[in-house]
Amino acid sequence: MKSDSVTKGMQQAPHRSLFNALGFTKEELERPLVGIVSSYNEIVPGHMNLDKIVNAVKQGVAMAGGTPIVFPAIAVCDGIAMGHIGMKYSLVTRDLIADSTECMAIAHAFDALVMVPNCDKNVPGLLMAAARINVPTVFVSGGPMLAGRVHGQKRSLSSMFEAVGSYAAGTMTAEDVEEFENKVCPTCGSCSGMYTANSMNCLTEALGMGLQGNGTIPAVYSERLKLAKHAGMKVMEMLEKNIRPRDIMTEDAFMNALTVDMALGCSTNSMLHLPAIAHEVGLDLNMDVVNGMSAKTPNLCHLAPAGPTYMEDLNEAGGVYAVMNELSKKDLLHLDCMTVTGKTVGENIANCVNRDPEVIRPIDNPYSATGGIAVLRGNLAPDTGVVKRSAVVPEMMVHEGPARVFDCEEDAIDAIKGGKIVAGDVVVIRYEGPKGGPGMREMLNPTSAIAGMGLGSSVALITDGRFSGASRGASIGHVSPEAAVGGPIALVEEGDIIKINIPENRLDVDISDEEMEARRAKWQPREPKVTTGYLSRYVTMVTSGNRGAILEKPGNC
């Protein structure tokens, strides 16, 4: 046991004295030490219930013969951080979470881990940490929020952001907005659509790192506490069998995750996180595989913001395993991959039926024959851009229009809400990438403003930043290379014609190669927006969005 290095032998007597100071008994120190990484805090709605999840995990570990020990992980609420400087600090926490968890787990010689995340960056951050530490590890999240109800219709956070745009357009009153404000987020949990947090929690099941229901059982259901107890017991089984994250997160497991991603219509942020997690196990998850995967994987779910169904509906329909069962009918999954259950994917999903063919379309009757995400290339995105195809209306799948160019998110929002953006325009927001932001802010405010102004079916938005899973429409992010390093998006000028062709995976600006080179010769790098603190260090190490915004030594980026 790893913990022997702090609990056994004469040389460890000083260590045991410190455990005595913590109140541990001799009997507890004779058992495996299981770290429970708690993302509990009082600022993220998806985390306010994690203290209860953690206590349930502790019971499960203790029942199965382990000694549970809790330590924390930070988490940022993307919704609260949205639209101001705080959003620069969201993506960057993914690496802080991975680094700090690695430090705590190895410094204290834990034999196994149970990760208790929920919202956005701490799910991928803890998956990255699990890959590095490589001791038996199970994930159990806090679960999704129930959908709100306004005027008898289910609503979620994306509806709230769009309501602000509708108010700016004069189609909603302040009283209408206040009603949304009070009703769209009715419980604790990760926001109720297929946004980033729920996408990543669902993908823990697809990767094999979470138990059945981890992505979909609502936060307020008592079933979530049972799941947490089972997670605590299961990690002890994994420890006995020596099943580790790198045994589970294989190349085939990542292909399964990408396939499920396409079927569910997950957030485009998964195209940042999956490559970053894969990098930690020594795999290069090249974005070139995505379109091939999308071409053969049908989109089976249209959860909010793509459609009118929510995480609670997916849970009732059979959850992620039911989706995977549908996919297996066309041999789209690697069924022999090991999982935290100690069984293979095929064994796990064998009896999981689809209980609602409107929430989870049968494999022979999908929403579309192709997956929910597309990777685009062209002279505007030589290294790729990403779009959530399942959330784009048919009339915007192919679009040409004049570029309306903005060098930051705030200027774009002012123009949209000020009525300066009209049907047919292509809003370009640049210098918001990993280096240029810095921190690659989410653009939920401008996409929601476009939708709220009634322009969702006639205006596109492209950016070297990223999008919340709550964004919908022709929203193309992660455009690489980013503007801050002289990518073509930095060279676009007001009025240039932008050509978007999602079915053909193309993103181009209609100028000649000669003109592009002439503009490049005149381009000058900009002074960093942030010169102190963590963000200034992050800028020197972060890579492009198409590589998952992973961190490398300066000079290799």
Side-chain angles (χ1 to χ4, degrees), residues 91-92 94-96 99 128 132 276 279-280 434 534 537-544 547-554 556-557:
L91 178 62
V92 305
R94 185 185 69 183
D95 298 277
L96 282 174
D99 292 348
M128 291 163 66
R132 291 182 197 173
H279 177 74
E280 296 293 345
Y534 177 57
R537 299 196 300 276
Y538 182 85
V539 168
T540 67
M541 300 177 70
V542 70
T543 63
S544 175
R547 296 185 57 200
I550 61 172
L551 301 187
E552 290 187 340
K553 294 179 181 178
N556 295 335
C557 304

Side-chain angles (χ1 to χ4, degrees), residues 376-508:
L376 312 184
R377 273 195 170 89
N379 71 348
L380 191 49
D383 289 344
T384 67
V386 178
V387 64
K388 187 171 181 175
R389 174 165 46 192
S390 59
V392 180
V393 295
E395 53 267 38
M396 290 299 289
M397 297 294 281
V398 177
H399 179 76
E400 291 187 18
R404 305 299 309 280
V405 182
F406 304 93
D407 288 349
C408 66
E409 175 190 5
E410 289 81 0
D411 290 349
I413 292 171
D414 288 344
I416 295 164
K417 291 184 176 179
K420 297 177 182 178
I421 303 301
V422 299
D425 284 348
V426 178
V427 176
V428 177
I429 304 178
R430 62 194 182 188
Y431 295 99
E432 291 285 7
K435 287 182 179 293
M440 206 177 188
R441 288 196 289 180
E442 287 185 346
M443 299 293 142
L444 179 57
N445 271 342
T447 59
S448 297
I450 287 169
M453 295 288 285
L455 298 170
S457 60
S458 60
V459 168
L461 189 152
I462 67 172
T463 180
D464 52 7
R466 60 193 178 92
F467 294 108
S468 163
S471 290
R472 61 187 175 98
S475 303
I476 301 167
H478 311 186
V479 170
S480 304
E482 63 172 294
V485 298
I489 193 171
L491 311 178
V492 175
E493 296 181 357
E494 186 81 8
D496 285 347
I497 299 300
I498 306 292
K499 295 183 175 182
I500 300 167
N501 192 320
I502 295 172
E504 294 186 5
N505 304 311
R506 296 291 307 180
L507 178 62
D508 295 283

Side-chain angles (χ1 to χ4, degrees), residues 44-83:
V44 184
H47 292 205
M48 63 177 286
N49 66 320
L50 294 190
D51 55 341
K52 297 177 177 61
I53 302 295
V54 166
N55 284 335
V57 172
K58 290 175 68 176
Q59 292 177 53
V61 169
M63 283 191 289
T67 298
I69 304 174
V70 179
F71 65 89
I74 64 168
V76 164
C77 176
D78 278 20
I80 294 174
M82 194 73 64

